[in-house]
Amino acid sequence: MTSIRDQLSSSGLFQDFPEMAKRELEKLCRLQSVKSETAIYKIGDEPKALYGVVDGAVKLIGEAPTGKLFLYELVSPGQWFGENSALVGAPRGQTAMVIGDTQIVSLLRKDLLDLLHSQPDLYQYFVRVLCLRLRRAGKAIEETAFLPVSVRMGRTLLRMHRVREKYQIKLSQDEIAASLGVTRQSIYRVLKDWKARGWVNLNYGNVELSDSLSLTRWVQETQAELG
């Protein structure tokens, strides 16, 4: 990503909008640089805007009723975040934490809603995006029910690998376990086996993927065996 227009055109959120609407959105968006470890917003905050990553990465961190934090998602360039609460007007459900110096684009909730109210036909594009997300959420639930933890962990590491490698983002065993909804102990044996195979390196506070091709093959073959 190099510009606000690139962000609007590549994102699943706005990429299908008519060109005229994109031009209006481009005028409303603001580009800003954010220092590492800065919280763009925290759980419970009022949703004043939605955001897109232009360069760098942002962790979305959730919190369990017990107070334990977990990694909800790693947002990479071309993706938007904070749009659900911004559209609905509900308090933030996650904390958005910048990882490494990052460029983001922000769009005020009020500006977006004013545009949508003036052009109601634009709502149809959000309906499509939200339906696709519901399908993905349903698929994630199915995977949790039917796929073993090892396969889900492999898919998670592979999904995040490119952006983690580019921006040197650490991911601890605790974060991985929490993102899968399991205990650290339940993934340790798998990681130990993968380390012996040369697929991962286990450093302090970081699980580094060292052989993505072999892990990809293993995930695909294991899923095929499971049907």
Side-chain angles (χ1 to χ4, degrees), residues 3-20:
S3 68
I4 292 175
R5 190 54 181 272
D6 290 338
Q7 180 75 24
L8 292 168
S9 297
S10 67
S11 163
L13 193 61
F14 295 111
Q15 66 181 7
D16 293 332
F17 270 43
E19 288 303 312
M20 185 176 295

Side-chain angles (χ1 to χ4, degrees), residues 17 19 37 41 50 63-64 69 91 128 132 147 151 159 175 186 193 202-203 227:
F17 270 43
E19 288 303 312
E37 302 302 319
Y41 56 76
L50 56 156
E63 184 175 356
L69 301 180
R128 179 178 178 277
L132 289 172
L147 291 180
V151 173
R159 187 180 73 248
E175 287 178 310
S186 64
D193 175 54
L202 304 181
N203 302 314

Side-chain angles (χ1 to χ4, degrees), residues 202-220:
L202 304 181
N203 302 314
Y204 180 75
N206 188 35
V207 176
E208 180 185 359
L209 186 54
S210 53
D211 188 350
S212 59
L213 290 178
S214 294
L215 182 58
T216 298
R217 255 193 322 267
W218 179 85
V219 168
Q220 292 172 344

